Amino acid sequence: MVIAQQALLEHWQGHRRLTRRFIEAFPEDQLFGFSIGGMRPFSAMALEMLSLAAGGIQGIATGRWTSVKDLDHHSKAPNPATRAELLARWDEVTGQIDSLWPKIPPSRFTEIDKAFGQWEGPVYALFLYLIDNEIHHRGQGSVYLRSLGIDPPAFYDRS
Amino acid sequence: MVIAQQALLEHWQGHRRLTRRFIEAFPEDQLFGFSIGGMRPFSAMALEMLSLAAGGIQGIATGRWTSVKDLDHHSKAPNPATRAELLARWDEVTGQIDSLWPKIPPSRFTEIDKAFGQWEGPVYALFLYLIDNEIHHRGQGSVYLRSLGIDPPAFYDRS
């Protein structure tokens, strides 16, 4: 074993701080409206990251997984419709992660579980997937920003 | 400690297999020529991933880091100019990683080192950065592909 549980939390939250700056970097109308190649606007990608993070930390910490169809970005529930609402929800999930993380026993990470009732694997792999998915979509968002003539927030800055 | 050394290797090589499929998915002229928003073509991003992976595994395994200016994508050395050359170099680095990884003592991952003579941190964080950087640029490549009317290889498939 070569990576500590606390280091993974810092790694995740560092990426989430960077993604938060991406949400702030978009002009609000473009956040909800701009698209390339028929892809979703960045707000929809951010909403996916949010519901996977909220459902993910709950599932990892408690073993209770929200099913895929009940995740916010798939459900009929009202979603954040402004940047302020999106950021408020982002910060709420940040707090949930910080509060649940210390309650996860280290042995949990090598257990096999089925994320969101659908994807089976060791918990560390399910966890890494959440971060990878966020980096992937944020990378897409960086092309949106460049295409809008806006310099994306620095990739290496996780402060 | 919650993630095993062998799991990190599999995680990395899984991402590299996916990126390899992205290189194959581009029409060859677009691989070297297509751009959005003044960004680099995907071939240049792939070359960056390659030189960071080759220099990264050497630095992590041996403590000998190539300096930033001598990395392939920054140096004046001739770079792969066709897809076949790029893929051949990709596969060569895959073999280097597989061969050096088992020689890394587990304690190495929590040592502090300076990647490429420039970025200081614990080795596990320097390692995660290599993967994150690849996911980030591959995400950008997925927008290029969508914009060209091509479905990107599936993100979840790391086979």
Side-chain angles (χ1 to χ4, degrees), chain B residues 35-93:
Chain B
S35 163
I36 294 178
M39 299 174 71
R40 295 172 291 172
F42 192 67
S43 60
M45 298 181 191
L47 186 66
E48 177 187 301
M49 297 170 196
L50 260 176
S51 61
L52 291 181
I57 187 60
Q58 178 198 279
I60 290 169
T62 68
R64 293 192 314 271
W65 292 95
T66 309
S67 74
V68 173
K69 70 175 171 39
D70 292 330
L71 288 171
D72 291 342
H73 68 292
H74 286 308
S75 77
K76 301 276 185 271
N79 285 323
T82 66
R83 176 173 27 220
E85 286 175 26
L86 200 52
L87 291 174
R89 178 84 181 116
W90 198 268
D91 296 339
E92 189 187 339
V93 173

Side-chain angles (χ1 to χ4, degrees), chain A residues 1-4 7-8 11 15 36 39 106 109 124 128-129 132-133 135-136 139-140 142-143 146 155-156 158, chain B residues 1-4 7-8 11 15 36 39 106 109 124 128-129 132 135-136 139-140 142-143 146 155-156 158:
Chain A
M1 296 285 179
V2 295
I3 300 189
L8 286 183
H11 186 65
H15 273 299
I36 293 177
M39 301 175 71
F109 286 86
Y124 77 81
L128 290 177
Y129 194 91
D132 294 350
N133 186 64
I135 301 169
H136 172 69
Q140 295 175 330
S142 72
V143 184
R146 290 271 180 215
F155 180 71
Y156 55 80
R158 310 290 164 77
Chain B
M1 297 284 179
V2 295
I3 301 189
L8 286 185
H11 185 65
H15 273 299
I36 294 178
M39 299 174 71
F109 286 86
Y124 76 82
L128 289 176
Y129 194 91
D132 294 351
I135 301 169
H136 173 68
Q140 296 174 332
S142 72
V143 184
R146 289 270 180 218
F155 180 72
Y156 55 81
R158 310 290 164 77

Side-chain angles (χ1 to χ4, degrees), chain B residues 104-137:
Chain B
I104 307 172
S107 60
R108 172 72 175 140
F109 286 86
T110 42
E111 288 177 12
I112 304 296
D113 202 349
K114 197 179 269 193
F116 306 104
Q118 184 157 331
W119 297 287
E120 189 167 87
V123 169
Y124 76 82
L126 305 176
F127 169 72
L128 289 176
Y129 194 91
L130 298 179
I131 300 183
D132 294 351
N133 186 64
E134 177 160 338
I135 301 169
H136 173 68
H137 288 308

Side-chain angles (χ1 to χ4, degrees), chain A residues 30-159:
Chain A
Q30 309 285 24
L31 177 63
F32 289 87
F34 185 77
S35 162
I36 293 177
M39 301 175 71
R40 297 171 291 173
F42 192 67
S43 59
M45 298 181 191
L47 187 66
E48 177 187 302
M49 297 171 197
L50 260 176
S51 61
L52 291 181
I57 187 62
Q58 178 198 277
I60 291 169
T62 69
R64 295 193 312 273
W65 292 95
T66 310
S67 74
V68 173
K69 70 175 170 40
D70 292 329
L71 287 172
D72 291 342
H73 68 292
H74 287 307
S75 78
K76 300 276 185 273
N79 284 324
T82 64
R83 174 172 30 217
E85 285 174 27
L86 200 53
L87 290 174
R89 179 85 182 113
W90 198 267
D91 296 339
E92 190 187 338
V93 173
T94 300
Q96 289 168 6
I97 293 169
D98 280 339
S99 122
L100 283 170
W101 194 264
K103 299 179 181 158
I104 307 171
S107 60
R108 174 69 175 141
F109 286 86
T110 43
E111 288 177 13
I112 304 295
D113 202 350
K114 197 178 269 192
F116 306 106
Q118 184 157 332
W119 297 286
E120 188 167 89
V123 169
Y124 77 81
L126 305 176
F127 168 74
L128 290 177
Y129 194 91
L130 299 179
I131 301 183
D132 294 350
N133 186 64
E134 177 160 338
I135 301 169
H136 172 69
H137 288 308
R138 193 180 56 213
Q140 295 175 330
S142 72
V143 184
Y144 286 16
L145 285 173
R146 290 271 180 215
S147 184
L148 290 164
I150 297 166
D151 284 344
F155 180 71
Y156 55 80
D157 182 4
R158 310 290 164 77
S159 62

